[in-house]
């Protein structure tokens, strides 16, 4: 067998997860919040070159908050390549990242809707859902992915304004968006929330953020019980360290950026692309018995 065939058919085609993606040390880097994925070193992999769809979400209509970059972008690319139309929300400063995602969704042959705006505003959350429903002509997948994380050495360093930003983005916004979306969701629809390993093993420097992730796990499980009988499934994803703009725009100390993900059993952080199939699985009709579940993706640690 020649070398090329051996790579395709033989065991050498297996991919070693420890070596699949960059490992620490990473270059120290800081961008003002919210940061751009396109300016990160290295640029994260959101599945742009690798995700191959197989028609799992044909005809579906998804709204993803924070769909411009990171985990949300990976979900947006995968949903589109599985046949769903996708609306993404992001902050106006993130337009360059958002434009790339919109182009990728269109290239997959799907409708792409870009809705910029700040989800800390209840009125905007209502408008966001209304616009998405109108332009997608319906809605059946809602991913509350947007999040704010900022490291603070001491609780004394967290201003009320900063605490409020974390709570508004991570908890109030999903509350407002779900309330607006619910009247449009029919049996078979699903809601996906973004929890974290921080929900189970909170870091000392993420006092405010960690409690929002514990609350997310809790709202997912509560809502799954409330909406189960209506045929609407609610699940969560709990990532470990993933290489995204959130981390290099204040989410971690520079010291942690340098060694980011090195303490996982795989010895590296995850890339957004490695989580995409979880979102597809949770949205797929085939996952019809998955309700109130939290799916982990943490490279060997974490405990959802
Ligand atoms: P990211 O920075 O790429 O995505 C977060 C997005 O949130 C931003 O792109 C931005 O559009 C959006 N956002 C923040 N504040 C907003 C606001 N006020 N209005 C509108 N949009 C706003 O980072 P990511 O890591 O992909 O984050 C996605 C989710 O994953 C977050 O909920 C985060 O808490 C969660 N998470 C991330 C990690 C990780 O290691 N990266 C680990 C666990 C959980
Ligand atoms: Mg972004």
């Amino acid at each position: 067998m020649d070398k090329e065939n051996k790579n395709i058919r033989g065991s050498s085609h297996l991919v070693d997860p420890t070596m699949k993606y960059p490992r620490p040390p990473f270059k120290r880097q800081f961008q003002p919040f919210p940061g751009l994925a396109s300016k990160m070193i290295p640029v994260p992999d959101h599945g742009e070159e690798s995700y191959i769809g197989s028609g799992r979400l044909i005809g579906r209509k998804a709204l993803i908050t924070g769909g411009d970059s990171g985990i949300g972008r990976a979900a947006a690319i995968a949903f589109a390549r599985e046949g769903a139309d996708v609306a993404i929300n992001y902050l106006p400063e993130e337009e360059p990242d958002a434009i790339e995602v919109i182009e990728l969704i269109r290239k997959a042959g799907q409708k792409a809707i870009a809705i910029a705006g700040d989800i800390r505003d209840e009125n905007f959350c209502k408008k966001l859902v209304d616009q998405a429903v109108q332009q997608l002509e319906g809605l059946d997948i809602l991913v509350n992915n947007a999040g704010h994380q900022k490291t603070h050495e001491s609780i004394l360093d967290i201003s009320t304004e900063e605490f409020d930003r974390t709570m508004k983005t991570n908890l109030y916004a999903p509350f407002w968006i779900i309330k607006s979306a619910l009247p449009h969701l029919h049996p078979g629809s699903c809601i996906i929330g973004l929890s974290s390993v921080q929900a189970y093993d909170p870091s000392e420097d993420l006092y405010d953020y960690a409690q929002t992730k514990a609350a997310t796990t809790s709202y997912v499980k509560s809502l799954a019980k409330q909406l189960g009988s209506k045929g609407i499934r609610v699940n969560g994803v709990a990532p470990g360290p993933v290489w995204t703009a959130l981390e290099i725009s204040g989410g971690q100390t520079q010291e942690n950026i340098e060694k980011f993900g090195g303490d996982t059993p795989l010895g590296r952080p995850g890339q957004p692309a490695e989580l995409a199939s979880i979102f597809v699985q949770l949205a797929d009709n085939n996952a019809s018995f998955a309700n109130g579940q939290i799916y982990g993706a943490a490279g060997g640690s974490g405990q959802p």
Side-chain angles (χ1 to χ4, degrees), residues 182 220-232 234 291:
L182 202 49
V220 161
K221 288 181 178 287
S222 165
L223 213 51
K225 289 177 183 158
Q226 192 182 125
L227 301 182
S229 61
K230 296 181 171 31
I232 298 167
V234 188
N291 190 32

Side-chain angles (χ1 to χ4, degrees), residues 69 75 157 257-258 260 263:
S69 61
D157 301 332
I257 290 296
E258 201 172 309
F260 193 62
D263 58 354

Side-chain angles (χ1 to χ4, degrees), residues 34-35 68-69 94 97 245:
D68 60 298
S69 61
E94 300 173 300
D97 274 357

Side-chain angles (χ1 to χ4, degrees), residues 34-37 66-70 89-91 93-94 97-98 245-246:
L36 290 176
D68 60 298
S69 61
N89 159 250
Y90 50 92
L91 287 163
E93 306 94 289
E94 300 173 300
D97 274 357
L246 170 134

